[in-house]
Amino acid sequence: MNQYFPNIPEIKFEGKDSKNPLSFKYYDPKRVILGKTMEEHLPFAMAWWHNLCANGVDMFGQGTADKSFGVAPGTMEHAKAKVDAGIEFMKKLGIKYYCFHDVDIVPEDPDDISETNRRLDEITDYILEKTAGTDIKCLWTTCNMFGNPRFMNGAGSSNSADVFCFAAAQAKKGIENAVKLGAKGYVFWGGREGYETLLNTNMALEEKNIATLFRIVRDYGRSIGFKGDFYIEPKPKEPMKHQYDFDAATAIGFLRKYGLDKDFRMNIEANHATLAGHTFQHELRVSAINNMMGSVDANQGDMLLGWDTDQFPSNIYDTTMAMYEIVKAGGLRGGLNFDSKNRRPSNTMEDMFYAYIVGMDSFALGLIKAAEIIEDGRIDSFVEERYASYNEGIGLKIREGTVTLEECAAHAAKLKKPADPGSGRQEYLEGIVNNILFRG
Ligand code: XUL
Ligand code: CO
């Protein structure tokens, strides 16, 4: 338990006055809030790719962090060292879940997918062996269908049927691994499922083929006993100029069009929401009102940068409003996966822990404050009152969808002009949120 991070103790809750950087100030796993423990509200997960693989390489420079864990990268020994380091990391933080892409957990064989699959069998056996007797489980699996050059024109949306089959083959193994590891979900993030120019793109065929890929993976998954949720992770752009899973509303419309909405839900990522011109809260609300809330990729972007910076969440306004949506929707079926990476200069082992601590504490404080907003009730009752005209008379008929156009027109004629619809009171409501956030 103390091999890869020897200087890091088990991270414990010490409360908001603690100055110990290796402690939780707000995340107190067994504390009960609104009838559930914090750890039930907040099923945190570690993202294999950022935490155990990414070493700070960017388009302008080499890696800055050592993620070799004492073994040569690109080998199965390294793959196993990452499993051991990951488990030590999760245990020290009290994180119960992990998520990965196929190629995060093994080196891909460039010439033979069967050899890659054999390695996946070996490493998933190893993960099962090493997590046996612990409470560490797989939240979701996914496949990297965007990194390899074969996916340069997309995966399910590729112009090449051969490439489509490689995507399908990877996804087949991915869902088999989800079943083997008892994962709650399987994620599709359409990294290259989009286009650079419509001049070379048959959009109708590409979209239909993506739906076919989803359908055959769903059918195969169900046939081998996968009971979890499939997730779409919307993102509007990056790496492609336009991606088909633009945002939650687009993805939900797509799922309904192809009859996939019973098996698929949303995996909402905060920074993807802002790239789509929405707030994180908006994407969660769209998912919730469509009964499509599934899982969350927790991170935050930077409003001054136009790309997916995948920073660890530290903005309490955002985590509060996210938890407000999640709690009101009845909680997450999936979890809160930190699809977040350390900044490139934050390159030590300690930084890996500080990052998760700030992320977990930010969601814990967000949960505490969201519960206070709900218990306070002023916002809920304001919204309730604001729509009171739909509680009786013609309003009730509108709400129930039974009204006719003639009835509406007759109502308007009788009134001659409508009463003032009432102030939206935005500043008053923002003041309530600030009061609850900062009253101590
Ligand atoms: C990319 C992203 C992915 C998905 C999984 O922006 O979020 O890491 O979460 O493929
Ligand atoms: Co993500």
Side-chain angles (χ1 to χ4, degrees), residues 1-8 68-71 77 80-89 91-92 126 130 349 353:
M1 165 74 171
N2 222 4
Q3 193 180 348
Y4 293 97
F5 308 101
N7 302 327
I8 310 289
S68 67
F69 302 108
V71 189
E77 288 65 38
K80 288 180 181 166
K82 287 196 291 185
V83 173
D84 293 335
I87 291 173
E88 181 179 332
F89 184 84
K91 278 188 178 163
K92 286 187 165 167
Y126 190 74
K130 293 294 177 150
M349 301 261 174
F353 283 85

Side-chain angles (χ1 to χ4, degrees), residues 49 101 140 142 146 187 189 233 235 269 272 297 308 339:
W49 56 104
H101 304 81
W140 49 255
T142 189
F146 41 88
V187 166
W189 168 59
E233 186 178 319
K235 186 176 184 183
E269 178 160 329
H272 295 182
D297 267 10
D308 192 14
D339 196 350

Side-chain angles (χ1 to χ4, degrees), residues 52-55 65-82 103-104 106-108 119:
L52 303 172
C53 307
N55 63 2
D66 180 5
K67 298 279 173 80
S68 67
F69 302 108
V71 189
T75 61
M76 284 305 279
E77 288 65 38
H78 182 235
K80 288 180 181 166
K82 287 196 291 185
V103 301
D104 301 333
V106 292
E108 188 176 14
R119 294 176 188 173

Side-chain angles (χ1 to χ4, degrees), residues 140-157:
W140 49 255
T141 68
T142 189
C143 293
N144 182 324
M145 308 207 286
F146 41 88
N148 191 297
R150 64 177 170 263
F151 296 124
M152 68 180 188
N153 294 330
S157 67

Side-chain angles (χ1 to χ4, degrees), residues 43-63:
F44 291 126
M46 177 192 76
W48 217 270
W49 56 104
H50 288 311
N51 203 44
L52 303 172
C53 307
N55 63 2
V57 167
D58 71 9
M59 281 189 283
F60 303 96
Q62 302 164 12

